[in-house]
Amino acid sequence: MTKLGYFTAPLLAAASMASISWAAPPVNAQVAAVNPSAPVDFEVFLPLRNETGLQSLLKAQQTAGSPSYHRWLTPAQFKAEFGPTEASFSKVSAALTTAGLQVTATHTRSLHVTGTAAQVGKALGTSLNAVTRVEGITQVVAATPIKLPVALQEESAVIAAFGGRPPMHVNSKKVAPVDPNNRYSLVGPYWFDDLKQAYNYPSYQSTTPHGKRLDGTGVTVAILMETNAQNSDLANFFNHENFTAITGSPPPTFATYNVDGGAPFNPSSGGSLEASLDVQQVLGGAPGASVTLVSIPDLSDAHVLDGYVAIVDQNKWDLVNSSFGLCELYYTAPYNDGIDTTGVLRVYQQVFEQGNAQGITFVAASGDSDGLGCLNLNYFNDAPGAKFIAGVEWPADDPDVTAVGGGNLATSKPPSPQPNPPILTSKYQFEQAIGDEEVPQDPYGVGEDVKNGYWGAGGGRSVIFPQPAYQNFVSNGGGRIVPDVGMQVGGCPLGLAKTPCHVDDSSVVTAFAGGFYGVIGTSVSSPEFLGALALYEELARGRLGNVNTFLWTKGAVQQILGGPQAAAPAEFFHQKIPGLDGVPAYNSNWAQGFTYMDGNGTPNVRTLFGMMNYAPAGNPQTPSNP
């Protein structure tokens, strides 16, 4: 049994599978039986039909000149063509009802089921425990391996709930407290308007051919995250940069949509800091976008899946940000008492495929452990030799998701002494992606410190997902390459990095719980890049779907035309950024046009997205860059 306690219920159940063994809860967890009368709900997933046809459609939707190019399906159309049959739904629903449970909703490819803990346990041949991990997260976990009713087995149903797999983690950390007025350093901390000047965004005064300000107007964004954020912090964030005084408009706001009850704002929660960061980075780049924080109680598989299902089936949002992740190896057989549970990743992938077919773009943080995104089995098995090992994180490794890494930005320094009024400038100078060595740590609280960790953008090759066709431009064979693109990440995590850190480490300012903090992580770069995508979508006047073919094609063209020395019209990315990520083989791969820290590079936004006819964003706190 692994010390971490992964659960291996039938995540990818076949007709012959009545039950699968599971790993016991962590030895340091608190375990108590769930009250038999307590309400419990979960999702039952059924496989899609016509997978070959779906893959053909997804390719055609991204192929210019195809009759299907950017012609997106509705959820009803997707269900009719690729979803489970009504006969399958009826058969599974009847079996669940016979078992004493209630089907309260039917989605494109799943059913939402409720019952008491006693009813659910009886239907699944087990009992339910509340397991509280050392991180403070309580999960409802099956006490013994569950047994799917025969009808569910015959339909290859999947239940991803009731597992003890650790929740995913957010990809952000605080650095030392910041003075929000510090604008006199090459390495930040940066505000949103610093980043817009550095990465060559279009001027805020730009107007699109259809008469709208080029600021994300009309684009809808979902941010999936545990807990919540505050509009008052968002107002402080924009007011510091005099947004209203310059534009005459109030600061942007965001809405909240709760899934599985959501979770409230919590000033001591990393989730609420993360939610605040995500909202502010998206709206900092695209203040005209309509942003909804899709709040879930925690980052366990069950709640994350419920969040994605709600986003895809409601089809209200064009762009989706996910600033969280978990090592993909933790779904493989060696980490699960010999049982392969990667089937749950296939459940997620089919949700993403549905979203892509509907035109939805998914963006995710690539992780913050450099190339060492996983822990070896020794750590979990209480054996000598525990260490971080090469690995990438889900969901960034999914080929239907755009993975965003990055490094540390350095911009021009304002004049000193400053004139009155002061001049602020953040023109791009250079970037580096050199990881910070970390102090020994015990990531999951199993009682053993690991000493070889690094801080920096996650990257490498997936061992779960094969290399997608859009990456064949730059590599032959191997798994899905992570990340696809980079942006400002930052370094020197507070209390985790060995100090002194690299001289060029940087951070961004986030307004949180009434104060201002320096924050770092790929949770900075992911929503930041999504904000740039919102401008691109507005200009395109329609959804984008999976943008990875676009990004890797642009990267390949730039390589052909000189790579980092390409002429200005082909300088889509800042490339050949020096890096070090803890895995020697990963530190540079520019012979093929990418790195495992920045992917294709960091964007030159106006050039990459065809906005060169628009003036660039100028100095921060000016009409072109409020």
Side-chain angles (χ1 to χ4, degrees):
M1 295 291 183
T2 59
K3 193 172 183 180
L4 187 55
Y6 293 144
F7 178 76
T8 56
L11 300 173
L12 188 62
S16 61
M17 292 184 181
S19 64
I20 299 177
S21 63
W22 94 116
V27 295
N28 48 8
Q30 298 179 10
V31 181
V34 177
N35 187 319
S37 63
V40 175
D41 64 305
F42 60 98
E43 201 82 6
V44 177
F45 292 88
L46 300 176
L48 295 177
R49 293 179 292 118
N50 191 13
E51 271 287 331
T52 300
L54 175 56
Q55 295 307 313
S56 296
L57 173 66
L58 292 171
K59 180 179 180 181
Q61 287 177 323
Q62 296 296 340
T63 302
S66 164
S68 297
Y69 180 67
H70 282 197
R71 293 175 66 92
W72 312 117
L73 302 184
T74 66
Q77 290 170 330
F78 184 91
K79 183 176 181 179
E81 191 166 353
F82 304 110
T85 65
E86 289 302 322
S88 293
F89 276 122
S90 296
K91 180 178 177 180
V92 170
S93 180
L96 292 166
T97 302
T98 299
L101 305 176
Q102 292 181 313
V103 176
T104 58
T106 300
H107 303 292
T108 301
R109 54 161 304 206
S110 61
L111 303 97
H112 196 74
V113 184
T114 64
T116 66
Q119 290 170 329
V120 172
K122 182 179 179 181
L124 300 181
T126 186
S127 58
L128 301 180
N129 287 331
V131 177
T132 302
R133 307 177 61 86
V134 293
E135 306 97 299
I137 299 295
T138 298
Q139 299 169 273
V140 177
V141 176
T144 58
I146 68 175
K147 298 179 181 179
L148 291 179
V150 173
L152 275 65
Q153 295 182 42
E154 291 174 346
E155 295 301 316
S156 298
V158 176
I159 297 176
F162 312 125
R165 191 184 311 279
M168 300 160 205
H169 55 81
V170 298
N171 284 310
S172 62
K173 295 283 186 184
K174 288 182 181 179
V175 296
V178 300
D179 175 358
N181 296 308
N182 175 17
R183 305 299 279 265
Y184 309 106
S185 168
L186 285 169
V187 295
Y190 296 117
W191 291 85
F192 60 93
D193 42 1
D194 295 309
L195 298 174
K196 288 197 290 186
Q197 183 179 27
Y199 287 118
N200 193 21
Y201 281 59
S203 166
Y204 180 76
Q205 297 170 307
S206 300
T207 303
T208 68
H210 46 287
K212 301 293 184 180
R213 186 186 299 278
L214 184 52
D215 63 352
T217 295
V219 178
T220 55
V221 176
I223 295 171
L224 182 62
M225 183 48 57
E226 61 180 354
T227 68
N228 213 321
Q230 297 185 124
N231 272 303
S232 58
D233 285 330
L234 183 60
N236 290 341
F237 183 69
F238 276 90
N239 287 337
H240 184 275
E241 295 304 278
N242 301 318
F243 180 83
T244 297
I246 295 169
T247 67
S249 300
T253 60
F254 69 93
T256 298
Y257 180 81
N258 291 328
V259 174
D260 297 342
F265 176 80
N266 180 353
S268 63
S269 165
S272 283
L273 174 65
E274 179 63 66
S276 303
L277 168 68
D278 292 349
V279 168
Q280 291 165 29
Q281 286 298 304
V282 169
L283 287 169
S290 176
V291 173
T292 300
L293 182 59
V294 179
S295 175
I296 52 179
D298 60 55
L299 295 175
S300 61
D301 279 319
H303 292 309
V304 171
L305 263 170
D306 284 352
Y308 283 133
V309 167
I311 289 169
V312 169
D313 273 24
Q314 292 191 35
N315 205 31
K316 295 178 180 178
W317 298 286
D318 308 327
L319 307 172
V320 180
N321 185 74
S322 304
S323 289
F324 52 80
L326 188 69
C327 164
E328 68 172 12
L329 295 181
Y330 299 167
Y331 292 85
T332 63
Y335 288 81
N336 291 277
D337 292 338
I339 304 299
D340 181 5
T341 68
T342 56
V344 72
L345 299 183
R346 181 59 182 146
V347 172
Y348 280 114
Q349 186 179 27
Q350 290 189 337
V351 175
F352 294 143
E353 288 172 343
Q354 178 186 344
N356 286 170
Q358 295 170 192
I360 299 173
T361 304
F362 297 93
V363 179
S366 70
D368 294 339
S369 297
D370 266 332
L372 301 169
C374 301
L375 290 151
N376 68 355
L377 286 167
N378 299 54
Y379 173 78
F380 301 124
N381 291 334
D382 197 20
K387 63 180 181 179
F388 290 96
I389 59 174
V392 296
E393 289 193 0
W394 181 92
D397 64 345
D398 191 296
D400 308 288
V401 175
T402 297
V404 189
N408 294 276
L409 173 68
T411 68
S412 56
K413 188 175 182 180
S416 181
Q418 278 276 23
N420 189 14
I423 296 174
L424 303 177
T425 181
S426 288
K427 292 182 180 179
Y428 184 93
Q429 296 295 309
F430 65 89
E431 288 173 277
Q432 57 87 2
I434 300 174
D436 297 314
E437 289 188 69
E438 295 175 339
V439 299
Q441 58 184 291
D442 183 4
Y444 292 107
V446 303
E448 183 170 2
D449 284 339
V450 188
K451 299 180 180 179
N452 67 318
Y454 271 78
W455 170 271
R461 286 184 179 271
S462 173
V463 299
I464 306 294
F465 297 101
Q467 182 171 307
Y470 56 74
Q471 292 183 332
N472 288 341
F473 294 117
V474 296
S475 180
N476 296 317
R480 150 81 158 129
I481 297 166
V482 177
D484 299 297
V485 67
M487 270 186 120
Q488 160 67 16
V489 170
C492 207
L494 186 65
L496 186 60
K498 291 183 179 179
T499 54
C501 295
H502 195 279
V503 65
D504 293 322
D505 281 354
S506 55
S507 63
V508 300
V509 181
T510 298
F512 180 65
F516 295 104
Y517 297 89
V519 181
I520 58 177
T522 53
S523 288
V524 174
S525 60
S526 177
E528 182 185 353
F529 185 68
L530 188 144
L533 282 175
L535 305 185
Y536 179 42
E537 180 183 319
E538 181 190 359
L539 194 61
R541 301 197 70 179
R543 287 184 169 184
L544 305 171
N546 187 346
V547 298
N548 289 347
T549 296
F550 169 83
L551 295 173
W552 285 88
T553 300
K554 289 288 189 180
V557 169
Q558 182 170 344
Q559 279 299 110
I560 293 169
L561 297 178
Q565 283 77 47
E571 190 185 358
F572 308 119
F573 301 99
H574 306 106
Q575 295 187 330
K576 212 164 187 178
I577 296 168
L580 175 75
D581 72 350
V583 182
Y586 285 179
N587 289 335
S588 180
N589 202 359
W590 271 107
Q592 297 193 69
F594 69 93
T595 72
Y596 290 112
M597 291 74 77
D598 294 285
N600 287 287
T602 64
N604 185 338
V605 171
R606 289 169 59 240
T607 306
L608 176 62
F609 295 128
M611 301 174 180
M612 289 303 291
N613 290 334
Y614 299 96
N619 289 344
Q621 296 186 18
T622 64
S624 72
N625 189 11

